Amino acid sequence: MNEEKEKSGFMVKVATFIVDKRKAFYLIFVAALIYSILSMSRVLVNNDITSYLPEDSETRIGINIMNEQFKTFGSARVMITNVTKEKAEELQHKIEEIDGVFSVTFADEDTEENKNYKGTYALINVAFEDEASEDRAKNAMIEIKKLLEPYDTYIQSEVGNDFAASLAKDMQIILVLAAIVIVTVLLLTSKTYMEIPVFIMVFGTAAILNKGTNFWFGEISFVTDSIAVILQLALAIDYAIILCHRYMEEHETKDSREATIIALSKAIPEIASSSLTTVSGMVAMMFMQFRIGFDMGIVLTKSIIFSLLTVFLLMPGLLMMFAKLIDKTHHKNFVPRISFVGKFAYYTRFVIPPLFIVIIILSFIFQSKCVYIYDMGSINTKNKTEQKLAEEKIDDAFGSNNVLAVIFPKGSYEKESKMVEELEKLDYIESILSLTNVEVKDGYMLTDKLNPRQFSEISGLDIEIAKMMYGAYAVNIGQYGPVVSGLDDYKVPILDMFMFLYDQKQEGYVELDKELNEELDDLYRQLRNGQQQLQGTTKSRVVLNMNLPIEGTETFKELDNIKSIARKYYGNDVVLAGNSTSNKDLEASFVTDNTVITVLTALFVMAILLFTFQSAGLPVLLVLAIQGSIWINFSFPYITNDTLFFMSSLIVSAIQMGATIDYAIVITSRYMDLKSYMPIKEAMIESLNQAFPTIFTSGTILTSAGFIIGNLSHDPTVSSIGTSLGRGTLISIIIVLFILPQILLLGDIIIQKTAFTLHREFALPLPTGKIRVNGHIRGTIIGSIDADVNGILIGDIKANVETRNHESHFEKLDDISLPIFNEAKQEKNETEVEVLENANEGDEEYEKQ
């Protein structure tokens, strides 16, 4: 008892401090807002999903090597429709003349067949001289688009594709629509119009604080950056609503200051407890191997913390500031009572739970058979970017473009040449870009070794100058033997000799005639470009263009085959990198991450529920209901013969369990209180009526946010997550309202038998008049009371009665339903409450005591 008093007193002191120091908190939040607004521009957004793969994954290792040692120049696939072959060749030559374009491929002069021309469709492949992010490449792309403006053109390229700007534009539209939905829902569920501006100020402050402080993490993913604000509003909206409703209740009998203090003291533990389940889902994501889970988990956890802080520290002051306007703008509550749902639950309590078990089993089987995809390009979205439409058109006409890099130790051109020859024999290899298969002249490949005379013939150098260059090259690399014994048979790779010759020319050691000098400059540009792409300081790579799907069992099998061929020549020091290897690594991590998310979210939530309800059976029932809704959600793709993006499954599973379990808790907590002094039928009806406004508000907003994101976002990843979240939340709401009540009614015996303690405190609506009390009672009797009482109370009484006995039955006393506790099971300190028949009886009883 004393501990309860201490807690209550402490929270009142905390609430009093917050309310009385509200002006200081205004200043703190204004400063924090300024800081966050200025910091927003410092947040770095990572658009590369592969960078979140585990560090020891093959793709991550390969990407790190390529970023350190190679340059990947921009490229483009340009499809022109309704053109003749001759016109396409003319356009090819014009594109070649644009500054910043390195090479253009369309017609193959050595063959009559042209695979890049079908019907009236022409495919022109463009390679730029710079990386995709550099201005020169972007300017070249602008010139290409101007040149092709009169034609029906589809361009697939990362050059000039401002992914971040496109996504930001989508999110602006989504935020506006989400705001409209939120305001509409709040208008329906609020009690006064002035609540809504208060809510908006609280939500807006929390969102800005969270977004502005994201730069603390260095960078965040584009997925997190896109949907964090929407999810924050949807997940944390309950906190402000709970405090506001508490304030409205207390304000009926108290002035604004006292009402705010009491409301805040009661709301802090309630809201903090409610937030734990949501945070548990976010924390579970942080244990994923695929580190985008950690990225999203930590940002969303921070968003919940900022939402709590704004509700606890800012909102009380706002309630007092706008107290008069709140009082003047009361309106009718438009949320209907749903008594019929409670009645339906009572009469179907023996039918619905067994049926739900069957549905859960089938859903578990169906979702386990769902086909998961790992490539963003494979996701079907309702809204498609121009880039996505162009990709689909080009793939339909000429097939997909699946590129794979094979990375291996630098050094031996002979090994590389043999490996390339073996890879070229594979049926699905359409082309290979390698230093060893580039023809220079007269059938010589770039990496072939030539003696001075052969090099003189293909380069146009005088033989004596060629010998002199060979001698200088030998000395430069420390090979003095050929200089002494003779250079006639000394052979050097063409690539190395040309690069050495250019360096000597630049340093002034060799003078060439004008024509040869221009040829060497042009050749050097091409060789340097190829060398930067294919040869690093310690590693080399070849680039394969494969006629294989981006993902799938067949593709993943052939990746192993390619690696086994490369390992014949380079041992285990071979790494593959590309979209297909990324998808393979994502598939490998998904199996583990899916298990981790499912187990951890369930365990975290059950631990919280165990502590909250002091029952071992009740958490199992609640988690089973929500986990069932998750399985139903992810069985839909299987039923509709569709695919499911793996990230949607991981992220939405955690959010759906962590967030929608609150809906189940709201109904359960009310039912557990009400059934202590009401028949279970009436208790369930009233529980649903009391819980429905909260579930309707939060559930509608989260469902709407999900579907708005899913239908309006052009980004396939964000769209997929939004669709799954909206569908999952809607399913959870249906199960919580139409199935969970029957589970609670039927499982009541399990809940009681697995209770850790029979100690419970419940709200007891005592009548006006005289009652006899023997025990502890806390509540309001004109003033306030929190004490052990043995005597008669007279007045309008609203109190919490503490009992150790859940076993109670009901008797009618003057048309008032009150609990009469089973005396055989009464324990020490149990509170006895009895309504006295009349005043005289009360006086007599009082005198006797």
Side-chain angles (χ1 to χ4, degrees):
M1 299 297 179
N2 291 332
E3 185 180 349
E4 291 287 336
K5 293 178 185 178
E6 289 176 5
K7 288 182 179 178
S8 176
F10 174 74
M11 292 312 303
V12 170
K13 289 179 181 178
V14 171
T16 303
F17 175 81
I18 292 172
V19 171
D20 290 344
K21 301 297 181 183
R22 58 188 179 277
K23 292 183 179 178
F25 285 113
Y26 292 158
L27 294 176
I28 292 173
F29 275 99
V30 168
L33 282 172
I34 294 172
Y35 169 81
S36 297
I37 292 171
L38 295 176
S39 299
M40 284 184 186
S41 60
R42 300 170 62 185
V43 179
L44 301 178
V45 179
N46 187 344
N47 296 323
D48 182 11
I49 198 172
T50 61
S51 64
Y52 293 95
L53 284 165
E55 287 295 329
D56 59 351
S57 65
E58 183 172 20
T59 302
R60 194 77 205 103
I61 293 171
I63 289 174
N64 288 337
I65 293 173
M66 290 194 295
N67 288 338
E68 292 170 2
Q69 300 201 25
F70 304 102
K71 289 189 70 174
T72 301
F73 297 109
S75 62
R77 301 173 81 200
V78 180
M79 186 175 77
I80 308 171
T81 64
N82 302 317
V83 293
T84 62
K85 183 178 179 182
E86 291 72 23
K87 188 63 179 180
E89 291 175 352
E90 179 184 333
L91 292 172
Q92 171 195 357
H93 297 310
K94 289 183 178 180
I95 293 173
E96 286 175 336
E97 296 173 0
I98 294 176
D99 179 50
V101 172
F102 175 71
S103 65
V104 182
T105 305
F106 170 60
D108 189 345
E109 298 177 356
D110 297 331
T111 61
E112 294 183 3
E113 181 184 5
N114 188 351
K115 295 181 180 179
N116 288 354
Y117 187 81
K118 294 181 179 180
T120 59
Y121 292 178
L123 179 64
I124 299 175
N125 294 305
V126 181
F128 296 90
E129 290 198 37
D130 302 279
E131 294 181 324
S133 60
E134 295 185 22
D135 291 339
R136 191 181 180 197
K138 293 178 181 178
N139 292 334
M141 176 59 76
I142 293 173
E143 293 301 318
I144 291 173
K145 290 180 178 179
K146 286 182 180 179
L147 173 66
L148 301 178
E149 194 172 356
Y151 305 92
D152 294 330
T153 308
Y154 298 92
I155 300 177
Q156 178 190 353
S157 176
E158 70 280 15
V159 178
N161 180 23
D162 196 341
F163 174 82
S166 175
L167 191 55
K169 184 178 179 181
D170 285 349
M171 296 315 299
Q172 288 174 0
I173 298 172
I174 289 170
L175 278 172
V176 170
L177 292 177
I180 293 173
V181 170
I182 290 173
V183 171
T184 303
V185 172
L186 292 177
L187 279 172
L188 293 174
T189 58
S190 63
K191 295 180 180 179
T192 72
Y193 292 114
M194 195 57 207
E195 290 177 33
I196 298 172
V198 172
F199 289 151
I200 292 173
M201 283 186 277
V202 172
F203 300 155
T205 299
I208 292 172
L209 292 179
N210 188 55
K211 192 172 181 63
T213 54
N214 283 335
F215 88 96
W216 292 351
F217 306 127
E219 67 177 18
I220 62 172
S221 71
F222 70 94
V223 179
T224 304
D225 185 61
S226 301
I227 64 178
V229 173
I230 298 290
L231 291 183
Q232 180 182 2
L233 297 182
L235 294 173
I237 193 171
D238 284 352
Y239 309 154
I241 293 173
I242 290 172
L243 177 56
C244 187
H245 286 181
R246 283 282 191 184
Y247 167 79
M248 300 296 289
E249 291 173 5
E250 299 295 335
H251 193 39
E252 291 177 3
T253 57
K254 302 177 182 70
D255 61 34
S256 60
R257 178 182 176 276
E258 187 180 358
T260 305
I261 291 173
I262 300 301
L264 182 60
S265 67
K266 293 178 179 179
I268 287 176
E270 182 180 354
I271 294 171
S273 175
S274 174
S275 68
L276 287 177
T277 53
T278 304
V279 170
S280 67
M282 307 303 106
V283 171
M285 286 197 293
M286 295 166 64
F287 287 88
M288 289 166 51
Q289 292 184 40
F290 186 42
R291 301 310 291 165
I292 203 168
F294 180 88
D295 178 81
M296 179 167 286
I298 196 169
V299 170
L300 288 179
T301 298
K302 180 164 63 69
S303 76
I304 299 299
I305 293 172
F306 276 123
S307 295
L308 291 173
L309 290 175
T310 52
V311 170
F312 292 159
L313 303 179
L314 177 64
M315 190 173 175
L318 295 177
L319 288 174
M320 288 194 64
M321 181 185 297
F322 297 104
K324 292 182 180 179
L325 289 174
I326 290 174
D327 292 341
K328 293 179 181 179
T329 57
H330 279 270
H331 67 80
K332 179 182 177 182
N333 190 335
F334 300 103
V335 179
R337 291 176 63 83
I338 55 169
S339 299
F340 71 95
V341 178
K343 294 176 183 178
F344 172 78
Y346 181 77
Y347 292 117
T348 59
R349 65 189 185 279
F350 298 111
V351 177
I352 296 297
L355 184 61
F356 183 57
I357 294 297
V358 174
I359 293 174
I360 286 180
I361 294 172
L362 291 176
S363 298
F364 176 78
I365 295 171
F366 291 161
Q367 64 89 30
S368 65
K369 294 183 177 181
C370 183
V371 178
Y372 290 95
I373 56 176
Y374 305 91
D375 186 73
M376 289 191 296
S378 303
I379 304 173
N380 291 319
T381 57
K382 293 186 178 180
N383 270 347
K384 297 178 180 179
T385 61
E386 291 184 10
Q387 187 75 200
K388 180 62 177 176
L389 290 171
E391 180 183 344
E392 291 178 352
K393 289 285 187 179
I394 295 172
D395 288 350
D396 288 342
F398 295 97
S400 60
N401 190 29
N402 189 354
V403 178
L404 177 71
V406 183
I407 305 168
F408 47 89
K410 174 185 174 182
S412 174
Y413 292 135
E414 290 82 359
K415 287 183 180 180
E416 181 178 341
S417 179
K418 291 178 180 178
M419 179 185 71
V420 169
E421 287 179 6
E422 189 168 351
L423 290 174
E424 285 177 329
K425 295 177 182 178
L426 299 175
D427 295 337
Y428 50 82
I429 300 295
E430 293 190 342
S431 64
I432 299 180
L433 178 61
S434 166
L435 292 176
T436 64
N437 65 355
V438 176
E439 184 176 353
V440 180
K441 190 177 181 181
D442 299 335
Y444 289 121
M445 299 300 170
L446 190 58
T447 56
D448 286 348
K449 291 185 176 182
L450 304 182
N451 58 35
R453 182 169 294 281
Q454 292 170 321
F455 184 76
S456 172
E457 291 173 356
I458 67 166
S459 66
L461 280 177
D462 181 80
I463 183 61
E464 296 302 325
I465 296 177
K467 286 183 178 182
M468 180 184 68
M469 293 304 304
Y470 267 66
Y473 178 85
V475 171
N476 187 61
I477 63 174
Q479 294 182 353
Y480 301 103
V483 178
V484 176
S485 61
L487 296 168
D488 290 341
D489 297 324
Y490 180 49
K491 293 187 176 181
V492 177
I494 298 174
L495 172 62
D496 294 348
M497 201 63 235
F498 265 120
M499 299 302 290
F500 181 73
L501 175 60
Y502 181 83
D503 290 340
Q504 297 302 303
K505 179 185 79 75
Q506 290 297 100
E507 293 177 11
Y509 297 122
V510 178
E511 291 186 6
L512 305 174
D513 60 50
K514 182 178 179 180
E515 183 179 352
L516 188 57
N517 190 61
E518 290 177 355
E519 289 180 4
L520 182 59
D521 286 344
D522 184 61
L523 180 60
Y524 173 81
R525 184 176 65 89
Q526 298 181 48
L527 294 178
R528 184 59 179 166
N529 187 294
Q531 191 178 45
Q532 287 179 326
Q533 292 186 76
L534 302 172
Q535 195 175 74
T537 54
T538 61
K539 300 287 185 179
S540 291
R541 68 174 174 176
V542 298
V543 180
L544 314 181
N545 194 349
M546 305 183 297
N547 184 21
L548 286 174
I550 293 293
E551 59 184 316
T553 304
E554 177 192 0
T555 300
F556 297 158
K557 180 181 177 182
E558 293 304 330
L559 291 179
D560 293 334
N561 184 32
I562 291 171
K563 183 180 287 187
S564 65
I565 292 174
R567 283 181 172 175
K568 290 181 184 178
Y569 304 96
Y570 296 98
N572 292 329
D573 198 4
V574 174
V575 178
L576 306 184
N579 287 338
S580 292
T581 60
S582 171
N583 297 332
K584 185 181 180 182
D585 289 337
L586 290 171
E587 182 186 49
S589 66
F590 170 71
V591 176
T592 302
D593 286 343
N594 198 29
T595 303
V596 167
I597 288 290
T598 302
V599 173
L600 286 184
T601 50
L603 288 177
F604 289 159
V605 169
M606 286 183 69
I608 295 168
L609 296 179
L610 199 66
F611 176 80
T612 302
F613 292 105
Q614 298 289 297
S615 170
L618 187 55
V620 174
L621 296 178
L622 298 186
V623 169
L624 180 64
I626 301 302
Q627 186 61 54
S629 71
I630 293 173
W631 287 335
I632 293 172
N633 184 20
F634 294 121
S635 66
F636 267 77
Y638 172 77
I639 295 172
T640 58
N641 196 30
D642 201 357
T643 55
L644 177 63
F645 187 47
F646 82 103
M647 199 188 303
S648 302
S649 175
L650 293 174
I651 292 174
V652 174
S653 292
I655 294 176
Q656 189 175 345
M657 174 61 79
T660 62
I661 192 72
D662 280 351
Y663 309 158
I665 293 173
V666 169
I667 291 177
T668 304
S669 60
R670 282 166 170 75
Y671 173 70
M672 294 296 290
D673 285 342
L674 292 173
K675 81 184 186 75
S676 299
Y677 58 90
M678 294 175 67
I680 59 173
K681 178 182 176 182
E682 282 74 15
M684 184 54 70
I685 292 173
E686 186 59 26
S687 297
L688 289 169
N689 281 325
Q690 290 182 14
F692 182 64
T694 300
I695 296 172
F696 174 79
T697 304
S698 179
T700 301
I701 290 173
L702 188 56
T703 301
S704 301
F707 283 132
I708 289 172
I709 291 171
N711 285 280
L712 294 184
S713 178
H714 288 85
D715 179 76
T717 302
V718 174
S719 174
S720 176
I721 292 173
T723 300
S724 296
L725 180 60
R727 184 178 62 226
T729 306
L730 181 60
I731 292 170
S732 292
I733 293 172
I734 293 171
I735 288 177
V736 164
L737 291 177
F738 295 98
I739 296 177
L740 178 64
Q742 288 89 327
I743 294 175
L744 293 175
L745 290 168
L746 189 63
D748 193 67
I749 185 67
I750 298 175
I751 297 170
Q752 293 187 31
K753 294 296 183 182
T754 58
F756 291 162
T757 174
L758 294 178
H759 178 277
R760 190 160 182 82
E761 181 177 283
F762 58 88
L764 184 60
L766 301 177
T768 300
K770 291 185 177 182
I771 64 169
R772 184 180 67 195
V773 178
N774 183 9
H776 188 85
I777 183 168
R778 182 171 71 248
T780 304
I781 308 174
I782 301 177
S784 296
I785 184 171
D786 186 356
D788 293 322
V789 177
N790 186 358
I792 304 298
L793 301 179
I794 302 174
D796 188 2
I797 303 166
K798 182 179 181 182
N800 287 334
V801 173
E802 188 175 279
T803 178
R804 293 181 178 277
N805 183 13
H806 291 306
E807 302 287 343
S808 60
H809 65 275
F810 295 80
E811 290 184 2
K812 281 283 187 179
L813 297 177
D814 293 336
D815 297 325
I816 299 172
S817 295
L818 287 173
I820 306 299
F821 300 112
N822 187 341
E823 294 181 1
K825 295 188 177 182
Q826 288 180 354
E827 300 181 15
K828 186 178 180 181
N829 294 330
E830 177 182 338
T831 300
E832 299 176 14
V833 181
E834 181 181 347
V835 177
L836 302 180
E837 295 290 341
N838 52 58
N840 292 331
E841 181 183 350
D843 293 338
E844 293 172 3
E845 292 291 333
Y846 182 75
E847 290 173 1
K848 289 178 183 179
Q849 295 179 13

